[in-house]
Amino acid sequence: MRYSAFQILKEGLTGNKGWKPAWRDPEPKTDYDVVIVGGGGHGLATAHYLAKEHGITNVAVLEKGWLGSGNIGRNTTIIRSNYLLPGNEPFYELSMKLWEGLEQDFNYNAMVSQRGILNLAHSDGQRDAYVRRGNAMRMAGADAVLLDTDGVRKLAPYLNFDNARFPIKAGLWQPRGGTVRHDAVAWGYARGADSRGVDIIQNCEVTGFQMNNGRCVGVRTSKGSITAKKIAVCVAGSSSCVMEQAGMRLPIESHVLQAFVSEGLKPIIPGVVTFGAGHFYVSQSDKGGLVFGGDIDGYNSYAQRGNLPVVEDVCEGGMALMPMIGRARLLRMWGGVMDMSMDGSPFIDKTAIPGLYFNGGWCYGGFKATPASGWCYAHLLATDSPHETATEFRLDRFLSGRMIDEKGVGAQPNLH
Amino acid sequence: MIINHPLLGPRDAAEFVYLGDASLLNRPSRDIENAAQAFTDYLYLRDNPAGVHQELWFHEQGDRSWLVVTRNTLTHDITRVELAHDIVRASVQQNDPNHNSEHKSGLDQ
């Protein structure tokens, strides 16, 4: 069923009896062309684009929990393409372009809202770095505007401009950045893939890989064995655990990142604002809650919950940036498990094992990448060659010295 | 989280800096045949289990000792805390009974 204003009107007049589930709930077949392990945003986007762009529909997406129960349902919903390095920026700009056409593409309201993202600079050096970043963005076809203090004041008059320790010197403004309704992204991609014949199988945990003469030929799951020509792992957060079953050790640590929502407030923050001196980012949801977050907790964790020192640190960052939020009460907080890669950049690559493909290492920037990650992973699976915007996301880049070190601080697993 | 420091007793984890997987204590020799691959693995690959994990914590706000903490990454429960110094010295002595660890252990500096 195609969703449209006419459908809403028709269903409204006929008692809303015609709506159908947005996707089927099939039992797994024993063999597929492609099995995608992980039914989160990236896995579902991969399935959608495999079916839609490459005509490969004999595909199963295996999800150990319910659809979208991982980080697609736990993030702070920000989209942006404000990266610096040539290995990253064209990829994230592709993602931004896909976001812009997403709702028409999969006929689902994902509430893509390009209200802009403002990165604040608090020193001359940081402003210079933002000039460079803005130029890199524009060269890759993205939009970037450098604002001086008055420009920032006009956009966000409620920021603390009297902070002597962290004066606001400038802002890098990307008007096309914004937020997206995260769950709807999973649901829209699931519906798009399912309607083209992809089997989405929930509550089906992969417990091992079937190998034959050094080739990966299938997976063992809690719902039986499934063979496939290609196995595409896409389980960021749990990548190390899943790939260990194939005997691979990854350049990844799993860390917990917390996110927070305040009580609902009247509209005050138009877009996304990030604090450049600490680590704090905030936007306001359509319901009025301030959605914000900061640093990872900083130790390996699969617990999906964090500890109080980081809560304090995030709130201190918020208070330094916009003291007005001190009276707002915290409504909810939660944690998600991140694949923290060694250079802060992701992987979309074949593995050394024929038939086995890997997508992961998204650190805590995976949500904005969802469409391009699916697009490029589908391209890799369909053609066996990397998409032109994802040629550098290789697993062997540490050995070859081609790290994508966006921060320029060397290898450590606490970057993003 | 509270880390029960072997010398100082229970300390708040916020006093520590985290370095990760304790396999970093086992640095490969530069003289072996495939040293480039071995060092790439040593520097960039990590044990990352969902469960019991051995990891390095540095007591930066305290006595500046390196600890090997055995912690469950699913529950954050800490079951064992040792001085990294002791672990390295034990492993050196095990590999080379004649080794005089007081002078040759790299962790003494």
Side-chain angles (χ1 to χ4, degrees):
Chain A
M1 181 198 293
R2 212 182 141 70
Y3 295 156
S4 63
F6 171 74
Q7 275 293 345
I8 294 172
L9 193 65
K10 185 181 149 205
E11 291 297 332
L13 293 173
T14 55
N16 284 310
K17 288 178 184 142
W19 299 116
K20 302 234 168 22
W23 55 86
R24 298 165 294 133
D25 191 17
E27 284 302 305
K29 296 190 283 181
T30 54
D31 182 63
Y32 288 95
D33 289 340
V34 179
V35 161
I36 296 168
V37 183
H42 291 221
L44 294 166
T46 305
H48 173 78
Y49 291 125
L50 264 180
K52 185 161 185 284
E53 303 299 326
H54 301 280
I56 300 173
T57 57
N58 187 19
V59 176
V61 179
L62 310 181
E63 166 54 45
K64 75 172 173 184
W66 68 92
L67 189 147
S69 55
N71 292 332
I72 190 74
R74 309 179 80 86
N75 57 74
T76 46
T77 78
I78 297 167
I79 62 167
R80 57 187 173 90
S81 63
N82 51 2
Y83 283 71
L84 172 70
L85 296 181
N88 272 333
E89 179 58 17
F91 172 84
Y92 288 102
E93 179 53 21
L94 168 68
S95 205
M96 184 59 84
K97 291 202 173 78
L98 290 169
W99 282 120
E100 288 172 330
L102 186 68
E103 293 161 314
Q104 288 70 35
D105 180 72
F106 62 24
N107 180 232
Y108 201 89
N109 181 11
M111 295 161 70
V112 177
S113 174
Q114 295 180 288
R115 309 196 297 276
I117 178 164
L118 176 64
N119 301 123
L120 297 172
H122 305 271
S123 67
D124 293 344
Q126 200 170 22
R127 181 182 54 210
D128 293 348
Y130 281 175
V131 171
R132 183 182 172 212
R133 178 179 297 258
N135 285 335
M137 290 163 64
R138 294 178 71 121
M139 283 169 71
D143 57 325
V145 181
L146 189 77
L147 302 174
D148 59 11
T149 308
D150 282 341
V152 173
R153 197 190 299 270
K154 206 181 271 181
L155 209 59
Y158 45 81
L159 299 177
N160 185 0
F161 289 90
D162 302 323
N163 188 330
R165 177 69 184 83
F166 305 118
I168 294 171
K169 294 269 188 177
L172 184 63
W173 167 242
Q174 186 181 22
R176 285 160 68 239
T179 61
V180 178
R181 170 88 178 114
H182 52 180
D183 296 316
V185 176
W187 300 332
Y189 275 128
R191 182 167 164 272
D194 178 86
S195 68
R196 290 175 176 83
V198 172
D199 285 351
I200 296 165
I201 298 153
Q202 303 179 64
N203 300 309
C204 179
E205 183 173 3
V206 168
T207 54
F209 295 96
Q210 299 177 49
M211 298 289 178
N212 189 5
N213 289 330
R215 191 182 166 83
C216 187
V217 295
V219 289
R220 287 189 295 277
T221 77
S222 53
K223 293 193 173 185
S225 291
I226 301 170
T227 57
K229 294 186 186 70
K230 292 177 179 175
I231 317 292
V233 174
C234 197
V235 293
S238 302
S239 291
S240 296
C241 297
V242 172
M243 297 311 280
E244 191 189 10
Q245 295 165 1
M248 282 179 67
R249 208 161 159 244
L250 297 175
I252 286 173
E253 287 182 0
S254 293
H255 284 250
V256 62
L257 176 69
Q258 301 189 64
F260 310 84
V261 174
S262 79
E263 61 188 324
L265 305 170
K266 287 183 179 177
I268 177 70
I269 299 173
V272 183
V273 182
T274 75
F275 183 33
H279 197 169
F280 176 80
Y281 44 89
V282 62
S283 62
Q284 190 167 17
S285 77
D286 292 339
K287 285 191 283 188
L290 301 179
V291 183
F292 58 97
D295 273 320
I296 52 175
D297 269 43
Y299 43 81
N300 288 40
S301 176
Y302 287 88
Q304 290 193 326
R305 62 176 171 80
N307 275 312
L308 289 172
V310 167
V311 179
E312 191 177 8
D313 182 66
V314 170
C315 292
E316 281 172 357
M319 286 299 290
L321 182 65
M322 41 181 83
M324 66 171 182
I325 67 172
R327 298 284 294 277
R329 282 165 295 189
L330 204 59
L331 194 65
R332 292 186 290 133
M333 51 192 269
W334 65 94
V337 180
M338 314 287 134
D339 268 11
M340 299 304 293
S341 71
M342 284 291 157
D343 58 357
S345 295
F347 306 96
I348 303 176
D349 201 3
K350 299 181 217 180
T351 68
I353 302 165
L356 184 62
Y357 298 74
F358 178 70
N359 175 325
W362 291 98
C363 300
Y364 44 106
F367 177 70
K368 77 178 87 68
T370 305
S373 170
W375 185 276
C376 294
Y377 205 21
H379 184 277
L380 176 71
L381 288 163
T383 66
D384 264 327
S385 63
H387 186 265
E388 59 182 1
T389 63
T391 53
E392 297 195 25
F393 297 157
R394 314 306 285 270
L395 278 163
D396 67 354
R397 64 175 181 258
F398 298 103
L399 181 62
S400 63
R402 293 184 175 84
M403 279 167 270
I404 316 171
D405 185 6
E406 188 79 24
K407 263 193 173 172
V409 294
Q412 57 190 74
N414 59 358
L415 310 169
H416 71 296
Chain B
M1 285 190 297
I2 302 291
I3 295 176
N4 196 5
H5 193 296
L7 304 176
L8 303 176
R11 310 298 307 182
D12 191 322
E15 294 177 4
F16 293 77
V17 172
Y18 180 80
L19 189 67
D21 185 0
S23 67
L24 286 168
L25 291 176
N26 308 316
R27 188 166 61 192
S29 164
R30 65 182 175 185
D31 300 325
I32 58 175
E33 198 177 325
N34 55 349
Q37 181 70 53
F39 268 93
T40 304
D41 294 354
Y42 168 77
L43 281 169
Y44 300 116
L45 302 190
R46 295 287 188 273
D47 287 342
N48 185 21
V52 176
H53 185 228
Q54 284 205 309
E55 54 204 22
L56 290 165
W57 291 75
F58 177 55
H59 199 192
E60 189 180 45
Q61 308 282 325
D63 71 343
R64 304 184 71 78
S65 59
W66 282 97
L67 304 182
V68 174
V69 175
T70 307
R71 191 178 57 95
N72 190 318
T73 58
L74 287 164
T75 62
H76 299 166
D77 286 342
I78 294 170
T79 47
R80 192 169 178 170
V81 184
E82 299 155 280
L83 289 170
H85 183 104
D86 291 347
I87 290 181
V88 172
R89 188 150 57 182
S91 93
V92 168
Q93 280 170 347
Q94 199 175 4
N95 295 337
D96 179 5
N98 300 321
H99 192 104
N100 184 342
S101 62
E102 286 306 316
H103 298 292
K104 292 185 185 171
S105 168
L107 287 185
D108 280 337
Q109 276 95 50

